[in-house]
């Protein structure tokens, strides 16, 4: 549609020279102006309706997310924390990557909801950018470990969209897949799927197209009726599969600048109500009884144990790491080897704690 000014000029040029035709010309000019005003008003109303519709959808989504958070508060979650400095033990980029892969596999095997990577070096660098520079370097090992864990947790069909090429991920393609429930193949059926919105044009009033790993894109819109042409989907919070479907849906990765911030930056409003520290100096794991909890946290030390992590945290005035936890446990009494590596300790500890951390309602589930 030409601009109003263009139309006005064209009409000014067409002014009749005969005064008898002026009346007809003026009426036509008024009619055209009314038409323009009506078109402008219609566009304005359409924009207002679209704005209200978007606001209503956002409001409904916020209400739904709040409901999910309330239900999630009843659910049990398990978090593990470990220092990124464990990568210092690996002697090559391939081995560092494989070590991170072992951590990710262990977390998924035991349904871990959150992995916290904390800095035990006392570094003042709080940046989450950068890459690991090699054995003996400090600070960036945390970032590399977190990046690989996030890459592994992401469904394969979404990785190109979220993870550009990076040196930290150079050997990530060689790692064993997590095979988590949300890493679905195109022929697998599930009520939930993760996706990424595609930059694909859609008609007004219809939802975006999303890649969810199927042979066809899914169009998301709450108000559309299903038809045979396009699959339809509903946007939900990432916690919903666990809350309503009882499905383990992977883990979140969090970076903490110190062991103290593992606790203070807890994403759960009520905090961790069951905390476990692991050390060969702790009490035997067999003495711990099953407890009711909502959010459990299990913390692992690095090569030098949790004592080193505590010393590096200048904000904590505590010398004894056992004072940080409700339970300070030795999860492998009478070990034959002089040392247990952190990736081994995770498997050993989570196996030993499985009867204690298992969900209270597991026996009530029906198939």
């Amino acid at each position: 549609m030409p601009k109003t000014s263009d139309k006005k000029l064209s009409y000014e040029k067409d002014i009749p020279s005969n005064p008898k035709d002026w009346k007809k010309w003026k009426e036509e000019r008024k009619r055209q102006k009314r038409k323009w005003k009506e078109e402008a008003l219609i566009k304005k109303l359409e924009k207002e309706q679209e704005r209200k519709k978007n606001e209503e959808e956002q409001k409904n989504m916020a209400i739904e997310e709040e409901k999910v958070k309330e239900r999630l508060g009843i659910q049990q979650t398990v978090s593990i924390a470990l220092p990124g400095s464990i990568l210092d033990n690996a002697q090559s980029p391939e081995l560092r990557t494989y070590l991170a892969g072992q951590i990710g596999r262990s977390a998924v095997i035991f349904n871990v909801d959150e992995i916290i990577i904390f800095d035990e070096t006392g570094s003042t660098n709080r940046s989450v950018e950068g890459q690991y520079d090699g054995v003996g370097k400090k600070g960036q090992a945390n970032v590399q470990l977190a990046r690989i864990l996030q890459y592994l947790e992401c469904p394969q069909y979404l990785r190109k969209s979220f993870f550009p090429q990076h040196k930290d991920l150079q050997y990530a393609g060689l790692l064993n897949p997590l095979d988590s429930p949300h890493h679905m193949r195109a022929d697998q059926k599930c009520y939930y799927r993760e996706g990424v919105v595609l930059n694909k044009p859609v008609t007004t009033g219809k939802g975006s197209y999303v890649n969810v790993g199927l042979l066809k894109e899914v169009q998301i819109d709450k108000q559309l009726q299903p038809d045979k042409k396009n699959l339809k989907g509903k946007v939900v919070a990432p916690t919903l599969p666990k809350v309503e479907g009882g499905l383990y849906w992977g883990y979140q990765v969090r970076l903490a600048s110190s062991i103290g911030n593992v606790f203070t930056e807890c994403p759960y409003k009520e905090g961790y109500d069951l905390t476990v520290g692991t050390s060969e100096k702790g009490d035997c794991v067999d003495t711990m009884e099953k407890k009711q909890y909502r959010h459990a946290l299990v913390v692992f030390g690095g090569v030098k144990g949790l004592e080193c992590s505590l010393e590096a945290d200048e904000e904590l005035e505590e010398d004894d790491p056992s004072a940080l936890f409700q339970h300070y446990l030795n999860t492998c009494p009478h070990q034959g080897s002089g040392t247990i590596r952190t990736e081994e300790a995770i498997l050993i500890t989570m196996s030993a704690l499985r009867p204690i951390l298992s969900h209270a309602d597991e026996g009530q589930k029906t198939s």
Side-chain angles (χ1 to χ4, degrees), residues 47-325:
K47 288 183 179 179
E48 183 66 19
Q49 289 175 353
E50 186 68 21
R51 184 186 66 81
K52 288 183 178 180
K53 179 183 176 183
N54 292 335
E55 288 181 353
E56 186 67 23
E57 288 180 351
Q58 291 176 1
K59 182 179 178 181
N60 292 337
M61 179 62 68
I63 293 174
E64 182 180 338
E65 288 182 353
E66 284 300 320
K67 291 180 179 179
V68 169
K69 288 180 180 179
E70 290 177 4
R71 293 194 294 268
L72 186 60
I74 304 174
Q75 295 287 321
Q76 294 174 316
T77 66
V78 176
S79 302
I80 62 173
L82 65 151
S85 62
I86 63 170
L87 293 188
D88 291 344
N89 274 346
Q91 300 301 312
S92 69
E94 295 91 337
L95 291 176
R96 287 196 292 273
T97 303
Y98 186 76
L99 173 56
Q102 287 180 292
I103 303 297
R105 285 280 304 171
S106 300
V108 169
I109 288 172
F110 291 100
N111 298 326
V112 170
D113 300 285
E114 180 192 30
I115 303 177
I116 307 115
I117 312 299
F118 63 88
D119 189 352
E120 69 166 2
T121 65
S123 172
T124 57
N125 182 12
R126 297 294 187 255
S127 174
V128 296
E129 297 299 328
Q131 62 190 38
Y132 189 68
D133 296 319
V135 177
K137 304 294 182 181
K138 295 183 178 181
Q140 302 308 330
N142 306 310
V143 179
Q144 186 187 28
L145 179 55
R147 182 177 282 118
I148 295 175
L149 289 174
Q150 288 177 325
Y151 176 85
L152 281 176
E153 198 276 340
C154 181
Q156 292 89 330
Y157 57 88
L158 297 179
R159 288 175 180 171
K160 287 185 178 180
S161 299
F162 292 107
F163 293 91
Q165 288 187 348
H166 194 282
K167 191 173 181 180
D168 285 348
L169 302 174
Q170 183 178 0
Y171 300 100
L174 303 176
L175 295 176
N176 296 320
L178 298 186
D179 201 20
S180 183
H182 65 303
H183 288 200
M184 286 172 283
R185 299 170 180 82
D187 58 346
Q188 286 182 293
K189 293 183 179 180
C190 182
Y191 190 73
Y192 305 98
R193 273 183 177 268
E194 292 192 359
V196 59
V197 176
L198 301 175
N199 186 17
K200 186 175 180 179
V202 295
T203 55
T204 304
K206 293 189 177 181
S208 303
Y209 289 97
V210 178
N211 173 21
V212 294
L214 296 173
L215 299 178
K216 295 179 64 177
E217 298 96 352
V218 171
Q219 190 173 25
I220 54 170
D221 194 309
K222 296 181 180 180
Q223 299 180 359
L224 289 180
Q225 296 297 323
D227 58 33
K228 296 181 180 179
K229 294 182 180 179
N230 296 312
L231 299 172
K232 296 295 185 291
K234 179 181 180 181
V235 180
V236 299
T239 52
L240 201 65
K242 178 177 180 179
V243 175
E244 291 195 345
L247 298 172
Y248 173 65
W249 211 249
Y251 53 77
Q252 299 291 320
V253 179
R254 174 163 66 91
L255 281 167
S257 58
S258 65
I259 190 171
N261 286 342
V262 171
F263 298 88
T264 59
E265 297 174 356
C266 174
Y268 308 112
K269 184 177 180 180
E270 59 272 38
Y272 302 110
D273 56 354
L274 176 60
T275 57
V276 177
T278 59
S279 170
E280 62 179 5
K281 301 176 183 178
D283 299 326
C284 178
V285 66
D286 299 333
T287 62
M288 184 175 175
E289 299 179 354
K290 185 168 184 176
K291 297 181 179 294
Q292 294 294 329
Y293 71 93
R294 287 189 177 182
H295 307 294
L297 171 67
V298 184
V299 182
F300 301 89
V303 178
K304 299 179 181 179
L306 288 173
E307 290 80 5
C308 177
S309 303
L310 197 61
E311 290 176 4
D313 193 337
E314 297 179 355
E315 295 182 3
L316 292 177
E317 299 179 355
E318 184 60 54
D319 296 328
D320 184 6
S322 64
L324 294 178
F325 309 98

